[in-house]
C-alpha cells in the first residue's frame, strides 16, 4: 500500500511508504479517513524489527567501472540509520517491502555470513581482491552492536590475511580497533568515514540514526592514532544544502590525520527521488526548488543520472566547480598525495581450516 506523507517520526528519515514497484497492483490510503491520525501528536513510535536472513552466498561481485572494488559483502539488508538520500533504499523492493520507512525499520541480518565467507575463501579457484564492507547498507548500523555480523566477517578476513575496505557513518567502528590494527600492520585495511556535513542541525534530520558528524570525525582521529589508515568520504554532496561544508569537512579530516578523501554527488534513483523531494519540502521548504534546480543542472536536465562516469560527480558548470573546490582543498591540506594499494599477496588459508587431505 502507498501511504501518504506524514509528520516526521523521531529518529526516522523517510516520511512515507511508497509502494513496491514489483507489485501487480497497489492500494492508496484514504487520506481523508486517516487525516486525524496524521494530525495527532501521540502516534506510537515506529519500532525496529530485525529478522534472521541466512544467506545462500555472501560475496557480491561488481562490474561497474566507476566503483573501485570488485567484491563486496553486505552483512545487513535495510539500514536503521535512516538516511533519506540512501541509494540502497530501492533494494528493499526486492523483498516485497517499501523503500520508505520499511527500509529503516524492517531489517535483516545474515547470521551465517562468517561461515559462508570461509567456504568462499577456501575454494581452490579463489583469487583475492579487496572486499568492500559498506557498499550498500552500513556495516556498523546500530543493530551491529547486538548481532556482530560485521565483526565476525572481519575476524575471518584477519585470519585469512585478506584485504578489506570499510565505509561507514558510525563511530561504532572503533569497537573493532583490535582487529583493524592487526589488518593494518599488514597493509590489509582502509577505513573511510562518510561525513555529509558538520552541521548537526541538518544531519539530525538528514541521517537521523547515524553518529553525529563531530563524533564521526573523532572516530577518524582515533583510528588514525591507532595506526589504521582512515579517510573521509564527503557523501552525498547536496547542492545548496551541504556543499557549503566541503572545505570544513576536509580541514577537520586533515586535522584528524586523514590522508585520503573522496566525494559523491547526491544520487536519486527510483524511489529515492520522491522520498528526498518529500523530505526537502518538509524540512527546507524555502530551499527545495533551488536545490532541485541545481541538481537538474548537474544531471543533464534530469533529477537522476544512472550513467557510469557521470553518476558519481555530475556534469556541467556546477559539477566542474564542485570538483575544482574539492581538488584545491585536498591539495592545500595535503590530502590524496599518496595512494598505497592494499596488499593482495599475503592471502592464505589458516592451518586449522586446511583439510587433512591437503597434508598428503
Amino acid at each position: 500500500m502507498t501511504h501518504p506523507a506524514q509528520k516526521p517520526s523521531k529518529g526516522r528519515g523517510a516520511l512515507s511508504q511508497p509502494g513496491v514497484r514489483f507489485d501487480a497492483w497497489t492500494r492508496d490510503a484514504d487520506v481523508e479517513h486517516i487525516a486525524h491520525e496524521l494530525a495527532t501528536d501521540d502516534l506510537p513510535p515506529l519500532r525496529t524489527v530485525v529478522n534472521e536472513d541466512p544467506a545462500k552466498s555472501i560475496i557480491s561481485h561488481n562490474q561497474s567501472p566507476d566503483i573501485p572494488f570488485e567484491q563486496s559483502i553486505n552483512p545487513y539488508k535495510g539500514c536503521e540509520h535512516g538516511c533519506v538520500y540512501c541509494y540502497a533504499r530501492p533494494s528493499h523492493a526486492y523483498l516485497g517491502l517499501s523503500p520508505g520507512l520499511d527500509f529503516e525499520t524492517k531489517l535483516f541480518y545474515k547470521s551465517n555470513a562468517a561461515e559462508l565467507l570461509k567456504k568462499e575463501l577456501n575454494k581452490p579457484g579463489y583469487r583475492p581482491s579487496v572486499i568492500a564492507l559498506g557498499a550498500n547498507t552500513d556495516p556498523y548500523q546500530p543493530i551491529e552492536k547486538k548481532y556482530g555480523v560485521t565483526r565476525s566477517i572481519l575476524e575471518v578476513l584477519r585470519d585469512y590475511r585478506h584485504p578489506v575496505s570499510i565505509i561507514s557513518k558510525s563511530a561504532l567502528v572503533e569497537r573493532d580497533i583490535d582487529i583493524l590494527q592487526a589488518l593494518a600492520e599488514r597493509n590489509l585495511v582502509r577505513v573511510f568515514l562518510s561525513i555529509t556535513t558538520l552541521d548537526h542541525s541538518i544531519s539530525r534530520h538528514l541521517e537521523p540514526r547515524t553518529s553525529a558528524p563531530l563524533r564521526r570525525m573523532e572516530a577518524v582521529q582515533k583510528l588514525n592514532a591507532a595506526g589504521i589508515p582512515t579517510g573521509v568520504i564527503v557523501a552525498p554532496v547536496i547542492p545548496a544544502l551541504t556543499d557549503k561544508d566541503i572545505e570544513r569537512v576536509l580541514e577537520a579530516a586533515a586535522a584528524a590525520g586523514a590522508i585520503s578523501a573522496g566525494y559523491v554527488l547526491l544520487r536519486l534513483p527510483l524511489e529515492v527521488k520522491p522520498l528526498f523531494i518529500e523530505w526537502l519540502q518538509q524540512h527546507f521548504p524555502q530551499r527545495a526548488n533551488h536545490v532541485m534546480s541545481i541538481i537538474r543542472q548537474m544531471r543533464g536536465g534530469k533529477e537522476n543520472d544512472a550513467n557510469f562516469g557521470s553518476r558519481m560527480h555530475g556534469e556541467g558548470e556546477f559539477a566542474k566547480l564542485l570538483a575544482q573546490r574539492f581538488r584545491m582543498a585536498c591539495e592545500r591540506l595535503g590530502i590524496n598525495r599518496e595512494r598505497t594499494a592494499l596488499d593482495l599477496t599475503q592471502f592464505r588459508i589458516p592451518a586449522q581450516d586446511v583439510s587433512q587431505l591437503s597434508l598428503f
Side-chain angles (χ1 to χ4, degrees):
M1 175 183 288
T2 300
H3 292 284
Q6 58 185 30
K7 290 193 291 187
S9 298
K10 185 176 181 180
R12 303 299 180 185
L15 276 70
S16 60
Q17 288 277 60
V20 179
R21 63 185 180 277
F22 301 114
D23 284 351
W25 53 275
T26 61
R27 292 173 292 166
D28 291 323
D30 185 338
V31 179
E32 293 184 3
H33 180 70
I34 64 173
H36 67 286
E37 294 182 2
L38 297 178
T40 185
D41 290 326
D42 56 358
L43 289 173
L46 291 169
R47 294 192 314 112
T48 299
V49 178
V50 184
N51 291 297
E52 183 179 11
D53 181 35
K56 295 181 180 179
S57 62
I58 196 62
I59 298 178
S60 299
H61 298 276
N62 166 60
Q63 296 180 335
S64 303
D66 53 0
I67 296 179
F69 56 83
E70 297 177 356
Q71 302 188 117
S72 64
I73 296 176
N74 294 298
Y76 302 98
K77 294 177 181 177
C79 186
E80 195 177 5
H81 278 161
C83 305
V84 72
Y85 51 72
C86 183
Y87 61 81
R89 284 183 177 272
S91 64
H92 238 44
Y94 292 102
L95 306 176
L97 296 171
S98 172
L101 288 166
D102 279 351
F103 177 78
E104 50 195 281
T105 61
K106 296 180 181 178
L107 314 178
F108 302 84
Y109 72 99
K110 299 178 182 179
S111 55
N112 59 342
E115 291 76 11
L116 281 179
L117 180 57
K118 287 183 180 181
K119 290 180 181 179
E120 290 283 339
L121 301 183
N122 279 333
K123 289 181 179 179
Y126 181 78
R127 296 293 179 268
S129 67
V130 177
I131 288 177
L133 294 180
N136 202 44
T137 56
D138 201 303
Y140 284 102
Q141 59 180 285
I143 59 173
E144 167 65 15
K145 293 179 183 178
K146 177 177 180 180
Y147 295 99
V149 181
T150 297
R151 183 173 177 87
S152 70
I153 290 169
L154 288 175
E155 288 171 338
V156 173
L157 296 175
R158 176 200 59 198
D159 294 344
Y160 281 69
R161 298 181 185 176
H162 195 293
V164 59
S165 67
I166 299 170
I167 300 176
S168 178
K169 288 182 178 288
S170 174
L172 180 58
V173 65
E174 293 173 2
R175 180 203 62 187
D176 294 335
I177 280 180
D178 58 332
I179 301 177
L180 298 175
Q181 279 181 319
L183 288 163
E185 288 171 358
R186 295 182 175 275
N187 186 28
L188 293 174
V189 67
R190 293 286 184 277
V191 178
F192 288 90
L193 271 293
S194 176
I195 301 176
T196 312
T197 176
L198 294 182
D199 189 336
H200 186 62
S201 66
I202 294 177
S203 177
R204 67 190 180 93
H205 297 301
L206 187 65
E207 40 196 27
R209 296 201 178 194
T210 62
S211 299
L214 293 180
R215 181 67 185 89
R216 274 177 263 169
M217 198 62 76
E218 182 182 340
V220 174
Q221 190 278 326
K222 286 186 177 181
L223 267 63
N224 276 310
I228 301 159
T230 305
V232 298
I233 303 291
V234 187
V237 174
I238 304 174
L241 188 63
T242 69
D243 66 311
K244 63 183 176 62
D245 263 3
I246 290 175
E247 288 82 2
R248 289 181 62 210
V249 171
L250 292 174
E251 288 165 3
I259 60 171
S260 58
Y263 78 96
V264 179
L265 182 65
L266 175 70
R267 295 165 56 193
L268 297 175
L270 300 170
E271 293 92 346
V272 181
K273 181 175 71 175
L275 285 168
F276 177 77
I277 293 174
E278 183 179 81
W279 176 91
L280 195 59
Q281 292 171 340
Q282 170 70 36
H283 294 287
F284 297 94
Q286 294 179 331
R287 298 194 212 179
N289 289 337
H290 185 46
V291 171
M292 296 309 300
S293 174
I294 297 178
I295 288 174
R296 285 190 289 271
Q297 292 178 60
M298 299 176 77
R299 296 299 190 189
K302 300 180 291 185
E303 290 166 337
N304 188 55
D305 175 12
N307 293 321
F308 295 138
S310 59
R311 62 175 182 160
M312 294 299 186
H313 298 133
E315 58 184 6
E317 293 305 313
F318 281 103
K320 291 177 183 177
L321 178 60
L322 198 65
Q324 183 181 46
R325 286 176 55 194
F326 185 84
R327 176 182 55 78
M328 292 178 65
C330 286
E331 289 178 355
R332 172 171 57 87
L333 297 165
I335 295 174
N336 289 338
R337 286 181 181 172
E338 299 179 5
R339 287 185 177 272
T340 304
L342 296 180
D343 191 349
L344 302 176
T345 67
Q346 300 181 54
F347 175 77
R348 55 97 169 107
I349 299 175
Q352 66 267 24
D353 289 334
V354 177
S355 68
Q356 189 67 26
L357 289 175
S358 65
L359 298 175
F360 299 94

